Amino acid sequence: MSATPQKNRAARRALAAVAGLATLGALAAAAPAAGAQGHGHGHPKPRTVDVQLLSFNDLHGNLEPPAGSAGNVNEIQADGTVKAVPAGGVEYLASSLRTARKGNPYSITAAAGDMVGASPLLSGLFHDEPTVEALNKIDLDVSAVGNHEFDEGSAELTRLQKGGCHPTEGCFEKGKKFKGADFPYLAANATYEKTGKPVLKPYTVWKKNGVKVGFIGVTLEGTPNIVTAEGVKGLKFHDEIETVNKYAKELDRQGVKSIVALIHEGGAPASDSYNYDCDSPGPGDGISGPIVEIAKGITPRVDALVTGHTHQAYACTVPDPAGNDRMVTSASSFGKVYTDTTLTYDLRTKDIVRTKVKSANHVVTRDQAKAQDMTDLIARWNKTAAPIAGAPQGFISADINGRGSTAPEKPLGNVIADAQLAGLSPADKGGAQVAFMNPGGIRADLVYAASGSEGDGVVTYGEAFTVQPFTNMMNVVDLTGAQLLTALQQQVSGANEASPKILQVSKGFTYTLDMTKTGAARIVTDSVKLDGAALDPAKTYRVAMNEFLGGGGDGFPVLGQGTNKLVGASDLDLFNAYLAANSSATAPLAPPATDRITVVK
C-alpha cells in the first residue's frame, strides 16, 4: 500500500472527535529502549516502536446493532458469573476503533473475512455496497476474503473491490457510482482454475516511516463445501498452511520480516465469554478446532494470526513449528468485539519481537457515543430501503430464537422447516413429506420488540430477510429412508463430527440424538419416525430443503443424491407466506415447542 493513503488516513483519524488514552505500549515505545544508540544532543533513538493492530471479523453487513440475543456478548465477571452485554453496530464499532487509535502513531486495522454476505436487508438489499462504504469510512486497511465474500461469485467480489454499479440492478443512488473498497481484499488461496492466478491480491505491505508489515489473506480451504456451487464456479481453493507459507517466503525475500496472516478459519474456545483465558492452564490449552492445527503448521516467519469464521472470541498463544508461542486471535462476529494487539517492531531487524506481543479482546459497547458519519450512512440507506424493509409480514407473541439459540433444536429452526413443509407439501408444489433446514442458514432471531415504527410483535420484511438473507431456491427431491438416516448421521460424523451441524426438522419428524456416543452412533437408529411411523429404509420420501443443502452443502453429501427434483419458491418467500397464513394481530405466532429432537447428554 502506498504511503499517501496512510497519511490521509492519519489526518482523518486526528480529526476524529473522540477522546482516547495513549496505551502503555505507546508510552513504552517513546521511551529509550535498552541498548539504544545516541542520536545527538542526548536524544537516544529508540530500538523498537509499538505497532497497534486492531482487528475484527465476520461483520456480515451488520451495520445496525444486531437484535435480540444475537446482539449480546458474554462477559465473565470478577465473581465468576457470566453477564450478557449488548454490543455491536457500526456506529459503536467506528467509535471504539477511533478511540483505540488515539496515541498510537503506528496503527493498522485489519479484518479476517466475511465482512459481507448473509447480511441484514439494509446491506443485503444493495449487494453490500453500504457495508463496503462503512468500512472505507472506518479506515479498514486490509481484509482477507471469507467464504461469504464468494456468495455471489468471483465477478461480484471483484466489483466490491474495484467499484462500479451492479451489472443487473444498476446504481442504487441517483447520480452516484459505487466506488468499491479502498482497502485491499486478499485472496491468496482462491485461484482461477484456468489461469491458476489468485482472484484478488494475495498479500499487501503496510508502510509508515520505514516500518513495514506484510499481510497475507486466505479463506478456509473448505469454502466450496459451504458456498453454493454457482458462487465458486471456475475457482480452486488451496491449503491454508501451504499458501501462507509460500507467500511468507516471498515477502521475506522482499525484505518484509514482519508478517501477519489473516485467516478466515477459526477455533472453539472452551468458554463462549470473550474475556475467557484460553491460555489456561497452559498456552492454547483452552482452544480447539481447525485453526489450532493450521497455526502449528504456519511458518515461524509469520508473527501473528488474525482469524474468524467460527464467530468466537479468543486471544490465545499456539506454538509455531519451531515451538515458540504465537498469538492467534478472533473477535466474535457482527462487530460486537474488536481485538487490540501490540506488535513490538524492531527497527534494526525489521521484525516483530514475538515475546513482547500482547493481545486482548474488547467489547464494542452501546453506552459510548455513536459515530455521526455512521449514523448518517445508516439513515441514508434506510431511507432507500424503507418501502421494502418496513412492509409487515406477520405477528409474533414473543422472541423466537434462531441464531441466538445454542440448543441443537432451535425454535426458529422449527418455524422455518414448518414453513418450507407447508409451502411444498401440496402435490403440485412438490408433495414434500418432511423439510430440513441447515442451522447456519438461520442468521438472526425473530425479535418481539419493534425495530422501527412498526410496533412490537410485527415481523417486517426487513426482519424476515435478516433471518434468511440468501434467498435460496427450494428443492423437493426423492430420498430413501436409508439415505435420510445417513443424512442424520452426517450431522455428527465425517466433516461434522468435531462440530456437529444439527438440521432443523419439520413437525412430525422425530428422533433421539445420543451425545454420549461418538460419530454416526449418536443417531439412535430405531428412534427415527415420521408422523409416528418408523422410518422405512427401503421406502422413498419426498424431502424439501434449500438448494444449498440440495447440492450436498455443509457436509451432507447424501442430500445431493436426491432424484426427481422440483424447484420451488425461495426460502424467504415461503417463510413470509407462512407468517401471513399463521399469524394475525389478534392471534400472533407463539414460539413453538422444541420437542422433535430428544438429546441425551
Side-chain angles (χ1 to χ4, degrees):
M1 223 180 295
S2 67
T4 315
Q6 296 299 335
K7 286 179 183 170
N8 292 343
R9 287 184 176 182
R12 288 207 299 276
R13 286 170 189 166
L15 291 169
V18 193
L21 295 170
T23 65
L24 293 173
L27 293 172
Q37 300 301 309
H39 192 56
H41 305 294
H43 293 299
K45 186 179 179 184
R47 166 77 183 266
T48 61
V49 295
D50 279 351
V51 175
Q52 178 190 53
L53 176 61
L54 301 174
S55 57
F56 58 99
N57 50 277
D58 296 275
L59 180 64
H60 290 288
N62 278 263
L63 300 177
E64 295 175 298
S69 54
N72 291 336
V73 170
N74 286 338
E75 181 178 74
I76 302 168
Q77 306 300 294
D79 63 0
T81 58
V82 175
K83 177 184 170 188
V85 181
V90 294
E91 293 161 299
Y92 303 111
L93 178 62
S95 289
S96 289
L97 295 174
R98 287 164 183 168
T99 301
R101 288 174 188 143
K102 289 289 182 181
N104 289 281
Y106 297 91
S107 185
I108 311 169
T109 303
D114 278 8
M115 293 295 97
V116 301
S119 307
L121 187 83
L122 178 61
S123 186
L125 187 62
F126 307 108
H127 297 274
D128 285 308
E129 289 181 19
T131 297
V132 172
E133 184 189 342
L135 293 170
N136 288 345
K137 288 179 186 288
I138 282 175
D139 290 332
L140 182 63
D141 289 299
V142 57
S143 180
V145 293
N147 53 288
H148 282 284
E149 263 83 15
F150 292 93
D151 282 349
E152 295 185 44
S154 59
E156 174 63 3
L157 171 56
T158 303
R159 184 184 79 88
L160 289 181
Q161 176 72 82
K162 296 183 176 176
C165 295
H166 193 270
T168 56
E169 295 182 42
C171 300
F172 295 114
E173 292 185 298
K174 199 174 178 182
K176 277 191 186 177
K177 185 183 169 190
F178 174 57
K179 292 176 181 172
D182 67 10
F183 54 91
Y185 255 126
L186 305 180
N189 69 330
T191 61
Y192 292 110
E193 278 179 349
K194 284 183 180 173
T195 64
K197 290 182 177 174
V199 173
L200 293 170
K201 283 171 67 167
Y203 61 81
T204 191
V205 181
W206 183 93
K207 299 173 186 173
K208 185 177 179 182
N209 298 341
V211 171
K212 290 191 287 188
V213 182
F215 288 87
I216 302 163
V218 296
T219 184
L220 70 156
E221 186 184 5
T223 289
N225 304 326
I226 50 176
V227 173
T228 58
E230 198 57 35
V232 292
K233 202 172 177 181
L235 304 179
K236 274 190 86 169
F237 292 82
H238 305 270
D239 182 81
E240 304 94 339
I241 298 171
E242 288 173 15
T243 305
V244 172
N245 289 353
K246 170 186 165 183
Y247 287 112
K249 200 172 179 181
E250 195 170 306
L251 281 165
D252 187 66
R253 280 202 303 268
Q254 294 173 18
V256 179
K257 306 295 181 186
S258 300
I259 303 170
V260 175
L262 306 175
I263 304 177
H264 191 71
E265 177 61 290
S271 160
D272 65 0
S273 295
Y274 81 93
N275 56 342
Y276 163 72
D277 179 10
C278 49
D279 278 339
S280 174
D285 283 351
I287 187 168
S288 59
I291 200 61
V292 178
E293 291 312 308
I294 290 172
K296 286 177 180 174
I298 283 178
T299 170
R301 286 189 176 100
V302 173
D303 299 295
L305 277 60
V306 175
T307 74
H309 188 55
T310 56
H311 291 203
Q312 302 296 311
Y314 47 83
C316 301
T317 51
V318 176
D320 68 15
N324 298 317
D325 286 344
R326 176 169 54 195
M327 192 60 71
V328 179
T329 70
S330 177
S332 183
S333 64
F334 301 171
K336 295 183 289 189
V337 170
Y338 73 93
T339 312
D340 190 338
T341 303
T342 303
L343 302 170
T344 301
Y345 184 95
D346 188 316
L347 293 165
R348 198 163 66 189
T349 65
K350 308 289 186 189
D351 208 348
I352 300 300
V353 184
R354 190 92 73 73
T355 53
K356 291 192 175 183
V357 175
K358 293 183 183 68
S359 193
N361 278 322
H362 303 277
V363 180
V364 175
T365 58
R366 298 184 198 167
D367 58 3
Q368 61 185 311
K370 295 179 181 181
Q372 188 60 49
D373 57 341
M374 293 295 141
T375 304
D376 295 345
L377 180 147
I378 289 167
R380 200 181 89 235
W381 285 104
N382 262 331
K383 192 176 176 185
T384 310
I388 295 169
Q393 304 298 310
F395 303 84
I396 56 173
S397 64
D399 287 2
I400 304 180
N401 283 352
R403 194 80 193 178
S405 167
T406 54
E409 182 183 350
K410 305 171 194 308
L412 189 50
N414 287 357
V415 174
I416 292 169
D418 287 352
Q420 295 177 354
L421 181 64
L424 300 170
S425 59
D428 62 337
K429 303 288 186 198
Q433 296 163 274
V434 62
F436 290 153
M437 173 64 191
N438 55 310
I442 308 166
R443 305 305 299 186
D445 301 335
L446 270 190
V447 179
Y448 178 77
S451 58
S453 58
E454 77 276 10
D456 291 347
V458 179
V459 180
T460 64
Y461 185 87
E463 290 164 341
F465 183 99
T466 298
V467 167
Q468 291 208 97
F470 299 109
T471 320
N472 276 315
M473 301 313 289
M474 292 299 301
N475 293 174
V476 186
V477 298
D478 282 354
L479 287 166
T480 64
Q483 287 172 314
L484 288 182
L485 181 61
T486 299
L488 295 181
Q489 291 169 338
Q490 286 173 350
Q491 299 177 114
V492 289
S493 64
N496 294 328
E497 179 154 11
S499 183
K501 288 192 173 81
I502 306 303
L503 296 166
Q504 307 299 288
V505 298
S506 54
K507 62 185 176 190
F509 193 89
T510 56
Y511 70 95
T512 297
L513 181 65
D514 186 350
M515 294 306 286
T516 65
K517 303 259 173 57
T518 57
R522 288 168 167 172
I523 303 300
V524 180
T525 306
D526 58 8
S527 72
V528 187
K529 293 179 180 175
L530 180 58
D531 298 325
L535 197 70
D536 181 346
K539 191 177 168 184
T540 296
Y541 297 88
R542 292 291 284 164
V543 185
M545 66 193 88
N546 60 45
E547 60 188 334
F548 171 62
L549 276 180
D554 259 357
F556 292 97
V558 72
L559 295 180
Q561 295 169 13
T563 56
N564 296 329
K565 179 165 79 174
L566 180 139
V567 178
S570 76
D571 50 8
L572 181 60
D573 285 347
L574 292 182
F575 185 51
N576 285 332
Y578 184 81
L579 290 171
N582 292 276
S583 70
S584 66
T586 52
L589 185 70
T594 49
D595 54 5
R596 301 170 190 183
I597 305 171
T598 303
V599 181
V600 178
K601 289 180 181 174

